[in-house]
Amino acid sequence: MNKKLIFIAVSFLWIAVAVGLVISKQHIIRTGKTVFLETMPVDPRDFLRGDYVILRYKISTIDLRQIQSEESYYGQGKKVYVKLEPRERFWEVTAVKTKKPVSDNGIYIKARVKYCYNRKLELNYGIESYFVPEGEGKDIEKNMRGNKSLVEVEALVDTSGNAIIKKVFAR
Amino acid sequence: MLLGIISSLLWWAVIIFIIVKLVSGGRKKHYSWLQRELPLWEEKNIINKEQGDAVLSLYKLKRVTARKKMDMVKVLTLIGVIFVGLGVIFFVGSNWQRIPSHIRATMLLAITIATLYTGYIFSYEKEGFANLGKSLLLLASLFWGGSIALIGQIYNIPTSENWYIILLWAFPILPIAILFKNDYVHILASVLLIIWNFLYSSDNNIANYYYPIIVFLLILPTAKNLILSRRINIIGLLSASFYCCFNKYEWLALLISAGLLAGYLARKEERVYLYSACLSFIFWNIAYFTVRQLQPNLFFLLPMGFMLYLTYKDNIEKNLVFCLAGLMIGTNLALSSVSQIVNYPFNGLQFIIFQSLLGISIYSAGIVSRNRGYLFPIIYKISGCLVTFICVYLLAFKALLEEWAGAANNAYLFGSLILAGIIALLMVDEKNSGNFKNKSRRIELAALVAALIGSIILLVSPRTVLLNTIAINSVLVVFALSSIFLGVELKKPPIFTLGILIFALFIITRYIDLTWALKEKSLFFIVGGLVILSIGTLLEKQRRKIIERMKPE
């Protein structure tokens, strides 16, 4: 095969993959609606991408007895849609569905089931990491612990339920 | 139960390592030394080429071409490239804020494409810079990883989706590895795919069927002339198969095993495929057991039977050890399933006795193979001897005998009795055929019978701890003495030395066993040390004398 052609094809592939990844995320930023979420952070380090703060949300654990739920048990790894509604300062869960209702214009955020035990559902929303400049993760955590304040996350959720972190700030 | 499986796997890992070292380790080292030295002797006119060829044909060795000298420029370029690549990844990791993130990402992507272009130019357009070009293509692949990681960082893609980042790194570099035939990038992609496999499985809690399919259909076929990459991928497949044991992915383990077997059938000269297929089938059997504990895996006999057939047909002695390990583990898993079906409890003592009887059976198979002129009698004997010795040594501890003697497990009891019956019948048949007439064979038979009787005593009366301790320690002494006498009789110093070692180990263990409970530990060590020193000196002196006597004859 012509080597020059391979070089051109690989260059296009790389640019396409990188741009595609950026576009998919920019789409959420452009079309997403803002929600405010309550969190609790801890600070580890990612080998590939440096310091980051793990964000654990209040909406990550759901008691299925207190909300509307289509099922009483959800298998590990299952995709679900969680309906969020504003309650005072933060947005909270009001329903869990296996498919996003077409007629409902409310905000549904997509999640994966980590585990479900005793009608308690533990979920991952794909917004559990927030990357910070090297060394700052520990400082942020220390400050927050010292002030005993909570961390607030401003996230954007698009119409398909994909979410992205817009801003993280201490309250 | 899982602990039992892991410990038996560990046992077998040790046994396989020892046997492989015994069978080939020493010889291989000498052979490769000879292969390297011969051209030098010919160059110095110590021997001529015909004599060199005669020496090589004596040991069935091939003439090796002189090893390529390490190209310093190539090595330095490669190290430089890896340093720069890692530097960029760490730079991304530091999340430097002075340049806006999108400009950083665009710059890095532009540098990546520029490096790719330079790599292409030096590899194919300019003559004489092929190595530099090859290294630059690796650098471009590392930069590509950095670019993807940076975009992931900008958009806070969570660490639970690192598998996705690694996948986006590994796949787009495959055209460079395969179409540009770049060895370095092929190795990088192989390592990344292994990492992707584990991250994907652990983050999503599902079996990753894509990984073996990609490796079998794309990576291995394109690594025909790249042995390091093939080895890395086989290790990746084996570790993926091993991971299945703990995650109930029995179908994935089966797929990997079948693929490795097909790999061997396609490339028979590469025996590592057969060894890994054998190991992978063992992992499949364990995974099958963890999923269907109440169903003994009789299907396992099919691949194992085929493995044994290939081992004999292609005369691959090392693989017999893997087959024996597989059959032993398979028998134990089947018995565990039967025990669970009929609700028999686990009994440590019966478990070890059963292993000991399996060891004796394997040794007996060695005797039969030798007497009838079949292949691999030595492998059977070494495997059987090691398994039996380890079991008997463990059983010789009084404290363990007391602790392990619990409620009886009839599955293991009957299994052991059947094995003992088969061994006895085999030996009677061999004796009637006149195969135990000379002295050395009678010594061997004596050790085997002692081990058999010791195991049966423990089996039928597990509660008589004192009698059992005496019986099993006597077996250990018989092992030591028979090995010493056999060594003298056959004039084989290693067997003789093994007997001395067993004897020394027996004395040290019993000393610790009997006196460790004493309050005065200083006395324990001083007396013990003195006793061991005196016995050691005496035994070593006698050993040397006897070995010296063996030599002139």
Side-chain angles (χ1 to χ4, degrees), chain B residues 23 271 307-321 324 362-363 365-367 369-370 373-383:
Chain B
V23 171
R271 293 177 170 188
M307 290 285 157
L308 265 175
Y309 165 74
L310 288 175
T311 306
Y312 273 86
K313 187 177 152 273
D314 299 338
N315 199 353
I316 307 172
E317 57 180 7
K318 276 184 219 166
N319 199 52
L320 183 64
V321 188
L324 291 174
I362 294 170
Y363 194 91
I367 291 179
S369 298
R370 179 200 58 202
Y374 299 154
L375 285 174
F376 317 132
I378 296 294
I379 299 288
Y380 279 111
K381 282 183 164 188
I382 298 175
S383 311

Side-chain angles (χ1 to χ4, degrees), chain A:
Chain A
M1 202 187 275
N2 187 326
K3 304 290 180 196
K4 196 169 191 171
L5 206 67
I6 297 170
F7 157 70
I8 294 168
V10 171
S11 306
F12 271 108
L13 174 71
W14 287 10
I15 293 167
V17 171
V19 172
L21 186 60
V22 170
I23 287 175
S24 71
K25 296 295 171 188
Q26 281 296 335
H27 174 77
I28 308 173
I29 294 172
R30 228 180 37 248
T31 62
K33 289 177 184 167
T34 305
V35 292
F36 288 94
L37 304 168
E38 196 178 344
T39 65
M40 292 295 291
V42 278
D43 173 55
R45 188 184 160 85
D46 184 6
F47 77 99
L48 208 60
R49 293 178 280 161
D51 271 14
Y52 69 103
V53 181
I54 286 186
L55 298 165
R56 206 185 301 279
Y57 297 91
K58 202 179 166 190
I59 60 164
S60 299
T61 311
I62 300 170
D63 189 343
L64 293 175
R65 283 166 294 208
Q66 291 177 2
I67 53 140
Q68 287 176 36
S69 174
E70 284 178 353
E71 288 165 34
S72 58
Y73 176 81
Y74 295 89
Q76 207 173 34
K78 192 177 170 66
K79 190 163 75 180
V80 290
Y81 290 86
V82 175
K83 186 170 185 183
L84 296 179
E85 282 180 11
R87 294 267 187 281
E88 295 176 8
R89 189 176 182 83
F90 299 109
W91 290 56
E92 286 180 12
V93 178
T94 55
V96 176
K97 300 200 182 286
T98 48
K99 276 185 186 157
K100 189 174 178 283
V102 187
S103 54
D104 194 340
N105 285 327
I107 291 186
Y108 281 87
I109 181 168
K110 199 156 52 180
R112 287 252 173 219
V113 176
K114 262 169 95 179
Y115 58 85
C116 183
Y117 178 72
N118 210 7
R119 290 201 154 197
K120 285 255 165 77
L121 193 59
E122 191 71 26
L123 298 168
N124 258 343
Y125 293 97
I127 47 170
E128 282 76 13
S129 306
Y130 182 70
F131 290 85
V132 291
E134 196 170 10
E136 283 185 23
K138 281 201 172 71
D139 292 342
I140 293 172
E141 194 202 6
K142 211 191 287 172
N143 285 339
M144 283 184 292
R145 218 185 284 148
N147 297 332
K148 287 187 180 169
S149 61
L150 290 173
V151 168
E152 207 171 297
V153 166
E154 188 183 338
L156 294 163
V157 185
D158 71 4
T159 46
S160 309
N162 300 307
I164 196 166
I165 295 173
K166 189 179 174 192
K167 208 190 268 176
V168 172
F169 43 89
R171 183 153 61 98

Side-chain angles (χ1 to χ4, degrees), chain B residues 228-286:
Chain B
L228 181 61
S229 187
R230 284 206 305 279
R231 294 283 185 272
I232 289 171
N233 280 290
I234 289 174
I235 290 170
L237 287 166
L238 263 184
S239 47
S241 180
F242 183 63
Y243 185 71
C244 295
C245 301
F246 306 97
N247 291 283
K248 303 187 175 182
Y249 302 151
E250 82 279 26
W251 294 110
L252 178 62
L254 185 62
L255 175 72
I256 294 172
S257 314
L260 286 166
L261 180 59
Y264 172 70
L265 294 173
R267 277 180 83 104
K268 282 216 164 182
E269 66 280 8
E270 212 159 338
R271 293 177 170 188
V272 70
Y273 277 106
L274 187 65
Y275 307 146
S276 357
C278 213
L279 273 176
S280 185
F281 274 118
I282 296 173
F283 299 147
W284 164 63
N285 195 17
I286 296 170

Side-chain angles (χ1 to χ4, degrees), chain B residues 340-403:
Chain B
Q340 287 189 34
I341 293 166
V342 284
N343 247 338
Y344 290 142
F346 179 73
N347 181 314
L349 185 63
Q350 284 177 331
F351 176 77
I352 301 285
I353 296 168
F354 184 72
Q355 310 314 312
S356 155
L357 284 162
L358 279 175
I360 302 170
S361 316
I362 294 170
Y363 194 91
S364 309
I367 291 179
V368 173
S369 298
R370 179 200 58 202
N371 292 345
R372 298 185 186 178
Y374 299 154
L375 285 174
F376 317 132
I378 296 294
I379 299 288
Y380 279 111
K381 282 183 164 188
I382 298 175
S383 311
C385 188
L386 274 171
V387 172
T388 314
F389 172 72
I390 292 170
C391 294
V392 170
Y393 182 71
L394 285 175
L395 291 170
F397 287 89
K398 193 180 169 195
L400 292 182
L401 282 179
E402 278 168 348
E403 203 175 303

